[in-house]
Amino acid sequence: MYPTDHIREYTQRSLDNLGVSRIDLLQFHVWEDRWATEERWQEAITQLKREGLVDGVGISVNRWEPTNCMAALDTGLIDVIQAIYNIFDQAPEDDLFLRAQRDDIGIIARVPFDEGSLTGTLTADSTWPPEDWRNTYFGPENLLPSVERAERLAADLPDGMTMPELALRFILHHSAVSTVIPGMRRLAHVRANMAVSDRTPLEEKQLTRLRDHRWDRTPTWWSQ
């Protein structure tokens, strides 16, 4: 849980580092809903909002646990949820998005490319430096299934469209989604990803086909 003093200290650090007098969105990461009834974080963010230091507050939901925030939403103190949502991970549509739209909660969709598998660039022989975190995510239990599913998805790729574009357009089709945060290392990727928001919505028949690529995972090899 986040102690009151910790929240205030790091909020002030962020304000100083950013050189601003107010933070538009203060995000709590690695949330657990068992903390929802704790008064310390509730009092801290209520006071920060009252003082005008923070405008909105969000929480980041753990991997494959999109409903691990419903109790927090019940407090009325949460303005935004950051959740994993992509062509493979469609579970947020089941309950979280409905609740978010009902209560006017923003949705930040993270991991839109499933850590790289939805870019279509991985192969069964892909390797990374020893210290690279992808060695954990794409271990023996996940690399080959991810590549195989990406290959099947590629068969449904519309003419003239790249895998990253399809991945982003799938996410943006849903009216509950406020924004997407793809990782980008090259300027060309930044330009390509930003251009996607100007594209027309996917056709319903395309969305129907993409629904078939849903992958409900219950992994033991990755906890967050």
Side-chain angles (χ1 to χ4, degrees):
M1 186 50 226
Y2 303 94
T4 303
D5 292 344
H6 176 88
I7 294 173
R8 180 163 286 276
E9 176 188 351
Y10 279 85
T11 298
Q12 189 60 54
R13 284 193 188 186
S14 296
L15 288 165
D16 294 341
N17 290 338
L18 292 168
V20 298
S21 59
R22 184 191 67 181
I23 294 174
D24 293 330
L25 177 62
L26 180 68
Q27 192 85 19
F28 290 88
H29 291 279
V30 196
W31 177 261
E32 290 288 344
D33 230 12
R34 65 177 182 272
W35 302 332
T37 57
E38 290 280 348
E39 294 182 355
R40 290 176 296 173
W41 73 270
Q42 295 185 24
E43 292 174 353
I45 65 174
T46 297
Q47 186 62 29
L48 288 171
K49 285 185 173 183
R50 185 179 297 122
E51 294 173 12
L53 298 177
V54 171
D55 189 25
V57 173
I59 54 179
S60 182
V61 183
N62 290 343
R63 178 172 287 275
W64 299 305
E65 294 181 316
T67 59
N68 188 18
C69 62
M70 296 303 194
L73 296 184
D74 289 340
T75 68
L77 296 172
I78 302 302
D79 304 289
V80 176
I81 296 293
Q82 184 185 129
I84 291 178
Y85 176 56
N86 55 55
I87 294 173
F88 289 160
D89 295 297
Q90 300 180 29
E93 294 183 3
D94 297 342
D95 299 297
L96 176 59
F97 285 3
L98 295 174
R99 174 67 183 275
Q101 289 181 301
R102 189 193 78 185
D103 294 349
D104 195 27
I105 303 295
I107 294 290
I108 299 175
R110 78 177 191 272
V111 196
F113 303 133
D114 189 45
E115 312 293 8
S117 62
L118 286 170
T119 63
T121 59
L122 299 187
T123 71
D125 299 319
S126 292
T127 59
W128 297 272
E131 69 280 3
D132 196 301
W133 64 270
R134 284 172 292 185
N135 288 303
T136 300
Y137 186 82
F138 290 114
E141 304 90 345
N142 190 40
L143 177 58
L144 186 57
S146 296
V147 170
E148 291 175 342
R149 286 177 175 271
E151 290 174 347
R152 290 198 292 271
L153 174 62
D156 286 335
L157 191 64
D159 292 340
M161 193 181 300
T162 66
M163 285 274 281
E165 179 183 342
L166 180 66
L168 292 176
R169 289 177 70 177
F170 170 80
I171 296 168
L172 290 171
H173 91 275
H174 203 291
S175 57
V177 174
S178 307
T179 190
V180 188
I181 48 174
M184 297 173 281
R185 295 184 179 183
R186 300 177 182 176
L187 183 57
H189 295 162
V190 175
R191 289 171 173 160
N193 291 344
M194 291 180 63
V196 171
S197 61
D198 293 328
R199 303 286 193 271
T200 57
L202 291 175
E203 297 179 2
E204 190 60 38
K205 64 179 181 180
Q206 293 173 327
L207 290 171
T208 299
R209 293 182 70 88
L210 293 178
R211 299 280 178 223
D212 293 336
H213 294 280
R214 176 169 172 162
W215 185 6
D216 290 319
R217 291 171 270 195
T218 55
T220 58
W221 45 269
W222 185 262
S223 59
Q224 300 297 335

